[in-house]
Amino acid sequence: MLTNRFETVLADTAESRDIHYGIRYQVFCEETDFAESKRFPDLKERDDFDPYATHFIIWDRLERQWVGAMRLVGGAGLPMPCETIYEKPLEGLESLRERSRELSRLCVVAKYRQTPKSFRFGLATPDGDPGAPPTPVCFRQEDHEIMLRLLRASFSWGQANSIDYCYASVNAAFASALRRFGIPLTVVGPAVEHHGPRIPHRYDVREAEAGMLSIQPSFPSLVRNAPAYVSYTDFVRGRTATTKPATADIPGQPMPVLGDATPHQ
């Protein structure tokens, strides 16, 4: 059987949000020094925006571990993290706030920041039950899959919740990578110094999804073969594995892999 190696999970419980904070601690405190580890003695990186954020995490079925995270922050009358580092209001934000969220705390564990397209044989257990008897399967992995999955979750959740725009405060290299993926970014303010130069951007959720479908070769396959995300509640019930007969095309030469994802607000 052929199954997707990675699963995108909506962290809809206290337990899953703790997993989210733990991934952030690993990336931001241990791997990149983006945040001071001494501020988080419980090994969970979080801030005042998390109580009203929507959190996502990525599960690796092959290695059976959590490997990436992202949150969407904001809403009517609520500030975004990017507003705390810019002195002037971001272009268009006040009129678009109710229909906007900020893509924030997107991070990938170091060993997973390069994921070229591949097929690998291994043992799979039902989602949410790693102690169950394993089954031999072939795992499917797309180019840049973890990053693409997190972005796709922002599109899908946004459209399901009447969100038209996402804001993101990123460095020039990360903005360039998003544009290469097919996301049309609009600069909405001047660069500021925040763990390096940061530039505020905005993208239209539907235009971003359409751009990735037309430009990024791995994205249409990911959309066909996997849901945008599943809830953690369903994940722990083992109801989310996507399997198909092993008849997929043999992968060709992978695209050049994206370098380390720079953590951002």
Side-chain angles (χ1 to χ4, degrees):
M1 297 295 288
L2 184 64
T3 189
N4 298 313
R5 176 172 179 177
F6 300 106
E7 181 75 87
T8 311
V9 178
L10 171 66
D12 63 340
T13 66
E15 177 184 8
S16 55
R17 286 189 289 273
D18 276 347
I19 293 169
H20 177 101
Y21 304 145
I23 297 169
R24 281 165 45 179
Y25 181 88
Q26 179 178 346
V27 174
F28 294 124
C29 298
E30 298 181 332
E31 296 179 355
T32 67
D33 292 325
F34 183 82
E36 292 183 286
S37 59
K38 64 182 180 181
R39 294 175 51 206
F40 310 101
D42 61 353
L43 311 185
K44 296 179 177 63
E45 195 272 339
R46 55 191 181 276
D47 60 25
D48 293 340
F49 296 100
D50 285 306
Y52 58 89
T54 301
H55 303 81
F56 295 89
I57 46 182
I58 300 285
W59 173 251
D60 177 1
R61 289 193 176 106
L62 177 61
E63 301 292 342
R64 302 175 197 173
Q65 59 186 337
W66 297 101
V67 300
M70 176 269 291
R71 68 181 181 182
L72 296 171
V73 186
L78 298 173
M80 296 181 181
C82 61
E83 294 181 87
T84 65
I85 63 174
Y86 293 99
E87 296 180 356
K88 297 182 179 180
L90 300 181
E91 179 183 318
L93 179 56
E94 283 310 313
S95 61
L96 300 176
R97 185 181 298 277
E98 187 172 347
R99 296 182 291 135
S100 299
R101 294 292 184 273
E102 181 178 348
L103 183 77
S104 172
R105 285 299 195 264
L106 189 155
C107 58
V108 180
V109 173
K111 65 177 286 188
Y112 287 89
R113 291 175 198 159
Q114 296 184 348
T115 52
K117 185 171 182 177
S118 66
F119 291 85
R120 293 183 57 184
F121 285 99
L123 298 176
T125 57
D127 287 348
D129 188 11
T135 301
V137 300
C138 182
F139 290 96
R140 174 200 296 112
Q141 175 178 301
E142 301 293 344
D143 284 321
H144 320 310
E145 180 165 343
I146 296 174
M147 186 69 66
L148 297 185
R149 280 182 164 275
L150 292 171
L151 291 169
R152 186 189 178 202
S154 77
F155 306 153
S156 181
W157 186 91
Q159 292 180 57
N161 289 275
S162 301
I163 301 304
D164 297 321
Y165 301 97
C166 271
Y167 284 75
S169 177
V170 298
N171 62 24
F174 195 81
S176 178
L178 293 178
R179 289 190 174 98
R180 290 198 305 273
F181 281 162
I183 298 178
L185 297 176
T186 299
V187 175
V188 293
V192 299
E193 176 63 30
H194 182 71
H195 301 277
R198 303 279 161 174
I199 306 169
H201 295 80
R202 181 180 67 230
Y203 62 81
D204 180 291
V205 171
R206 290 169 179 80
E207 289 180 0
E209 183 176 46
M212 287 181 62
L213 284 169
S214 65
I215 292 176
Q216 175 53 241
S218 296
F219 195 61
S221 177
L222 187 149
V223 170
R224 287 194 305 270
N225 294 317
Y229 57 86
V230 299
S231 71
Y232 185 78
T233 303
D234 282 344
F235 176 86
V236 297
R237 293 172 181 164
R239 292 167 48 186
T240 65
T242 304
T243 59
K244 292 187 177 182
T247 57
D249 295 337
I250 301 299
Q253 292 295 321
M255 293 177 59
V257 295
L258 180 68
D260 285 0
T262 303
H264 59 282
Q265 253 327 84

